[in-house]
Amino acid sequence: MDKNKRAIYPPMGWNSWDCYGASVNEEQLRGNADYMAKYLKQYGWEYVVCDIQWYEPTADSCYYHKFTELVMDEYSRLMPAENRFPSAAGGKGFKPIADYVHSLGLKFGIHIMRGIPRQAVHQNTKIKGADTTARAIAHPYSICSWNTDMYGVDPHAYGAQEYYNSLFELYASWGVDYVKVDDICVTEFRKECLYSAKEEIELIHNAINNCGRDMVLSLSPGPAQIEQAEHLSKYANMWRMTGDLWDNWPSLKAMFERCRIWAPHVKEGCWPDCDMLPLGHILVCRDNEEHMTNLTRDEQTTLMTLWCIFRSPLMMGGEMRDNDEFTLSLLTNEEVLALEKTTSGANEVMDADGKIAWKTTDADGNVYVGLFNTTDEETEVSCDFTVLGLTGEKKVRDLWEKADIGSVSGAVAAVIPAHGAKLYKMM
């Protein structure tokens, strides 16, 4: 199947990282799946994604344990830690959880690190489908700078493709619909490695094509290199444009520039990724640091407006069962979320000293305008019709307020709070 058909629209879901870090467990996955099915599924939210370290029995916080013991099968493949995911007992892996998520009408995803476990290399365990071992396919110089679990795979070694094929064969048997591959999006060519992570991306792409199940391929972390846009578009469905995005204004403000650069590469099955939504209750896994998002309500509106007009994937990061009314309202505004599926060609059309405008259109010729005030004071943001390619008089609907606000000509304007946004449909 054409990989682009696996993600016709930007994926929308929940990922456990922002709230549970390395320590997510089965109850938390199932609980957030229940919440999504009850409150969000009708608005297009569908993926429930288990992030990093699900194979580590000792994971108990947002942090990594160096060189710790991992759960692994005889073929060098990591398996869920049964003390954290009890339904995985007896070699069932994530199948019981995936089956439960599917029973709710949702889809299930997992996070993996690129490469092969160091534990497998040191024990020289087998590779399924090849008469070779983990030690023979690992690259000794290809390591992650922030996590000690893996060696990169030497893509030129016999057994490298077979190893990745065996991984995705396993994931297909579990019923996985989405795989986030980490430590791969920004790994550059290095002479001592004799290859780039581009080749591991290709191995993973091939493995998905061979596994018999459609899976969305998401690559992390960022920032991805714009020079690699063609390669990323060919082999992946999503790729991160940024490092981990947290709940502070400087990080959010920086996304305007990244979106401007990557906007020409947004298309069916190819989604530059602004990263997760650090909204609601986050950092639950850090003692004395858990909190409701530090972004102001205006900043949260800006985030959702930019992500939706740009058509970024939407992955909620907070513990959804603790959502307050405002957080839920951001995730259930069907008129705003519709931009993810009905519009195309978004681009920045104005940046006047931090007063920014974005424009996109739908198949009926309606124009959508996002007005952003990235300055530190309330101010009027005005965008001329000539910049928007509009003429005459246009009816205006405020999508956040779900209200028609009359007709305008010549320009669209609004007084916007500091760090705030407006989103209008022009008809």
Side-chain angles (χ1 to χ4, degrees), residues 349 359 367 384-391 394:
V349 295
K359 168 193 172 183
V367 173
D384 194 273
F385 269 24
T386 58
V387 174
L388 297 168
L390 298 176
T391 58
K394 298 293 180 183

Side-chain angles (χ1 to χ4, degrees), residues 113-114 118 142-148 150 183 187 190:
M113 297 289 291
R114 72 177 176 95
R118 293 193 193 212
S142 180
I143 58 177
C144 176
S145 64
W146 44 268
N147 182 286
T148 59
M150 314 292 277
D183 189 43
T187 304
R190 294 186 296 171

Side-chain angles (χ1 to χ4, degrees), residues 258-278:
R258 298 195 187 281
C259 289
R260 183 186 65 78
I261 293 170
W262 280 99
H265 302 283
V266 175
K267 59 184 178 181
E268 178 183 288
C270 304
W271 307 112
D273 181 6
C274 294
D275 199 18
M276 289 184 288
L277 310 174

Side-chain angles (χ1 to χ4, degrees), residues 68-299:
T68 190
E69 292 294 319
L70 309 176
V71 181
M72 188 178 73
D73 74 1
E74 62 179 315
Y75 294 114
S76 310
R77 302 177 299 187
L78 296 172
M79 301 291 288
E82 295 176 14
N83 63 318
R84 295 167 54 202
F85 305 97
S87 68
K92 296 185 182 70
F94 273 128
K95 189 176 190 316
I97 294 178
D99 286 348
Y100 181 74
V101 171
H102 294 154
S103 76
L104 299 174
L106 303 172
K107 297 180 179 181
F108 180 66
I110 60 173
H111 169 290
I112 66 172
M113 297 289 291
R114 72 177 176 95
I116 189 163
R118 293 193 193 212
Q119 181 173 301
V121 175
H122 299 158
Q123 295 176 9
N124 205 26
T125 47
K126 295 183 289 186
I127 301 297
K128 186 177 183 181
D131 185 20
T132 190
T133 63
R135 198 170 294 170
I137 72 169
H139 201 299
Y141 297 111
S142 180
I143 58 177
C144 176
S145 64
W146 44 268
N147 182 286
T148 59
D149 292 340
M150 314 292 277
Y151 286 112
V153 165
D154 180 350
H156 306 297
Y158 165 68
Q161 184 65 69
E162 288 80 3
Y163 166 69
Y164 272 118
N165 287 350
S166 75
L167 282 186
F168 283 86
E169 175 188 86
L170 179 66
Y171 303 156
S173 74
W174 291 347
V176 171
D177 305 295
Y178 173 111
V179 179
K180 173 184 173 181
V181 184
D182 216 337
D183 189 43
I184 200 166
C185 196
V186 296
T187 304
E188 301 179 37
F189 177 86
R190 294 186 296 171
K191 290 182 180 179
E192 66 268 28
C193 293
L194 303 180
Y195 78 102
S196 74
K198 291 169 64 174
E199 292 172 287
E200 274 197 85
I201 293 171
E202 293 170 22
L203 294 179
I204 293 166
H205 169 86
N206 295 338
I208 293 175
N209 286 345
N210 291 331
C211 78
R213 184 177 181 84
D214 289 335
M215 297 182 197
V216 171
L217 176 56
S218 169
L219 305 180
S220 287
Q225 300 169 306
I226 191 67
E227 295 80 9
Q228 300 302 327
E230 183 177 350
H231 186 269
L232 293 165
S233 296
K234 183 176 180 179
Y235 292 104
N237 298 114
M238 298 165 48
W239 54 90
R240 284 264 297 279
M241 308 186 305
T242 180
D244 285 0
L245 182 104
W246 287 105
D247 51 330
N248 62 81
W249 173 244
S251 296
L252 174 54
K253 185 178 180 180
M255 291 308 300
F256 283 93
E257 175 68 8
R258 298 195 187 281
C259 289
R260 183 186 65 78
I261 293 170
W262 280 99
H265 302 283
V266 175
K267 59 184 178 181
E268 178 183 288
C270 304
W271 307 112
D273 181 6
C274 294
D275 199 18
M276 289 184 288
L277 310 174
L279 305 177
H281 189 190
I282 61 176
L283 289 178
V284 181
C285 55
R286 291 191 186 180
D287 291 342
N288 302 318
E289 292 187 51
E290 63 176 294
H291 59 272
M292 297 299 286
T293 183
N294 286 321
L295 296 173
T296 67
R297 289 192 172 190
D298 289 315
E299 290 166 352

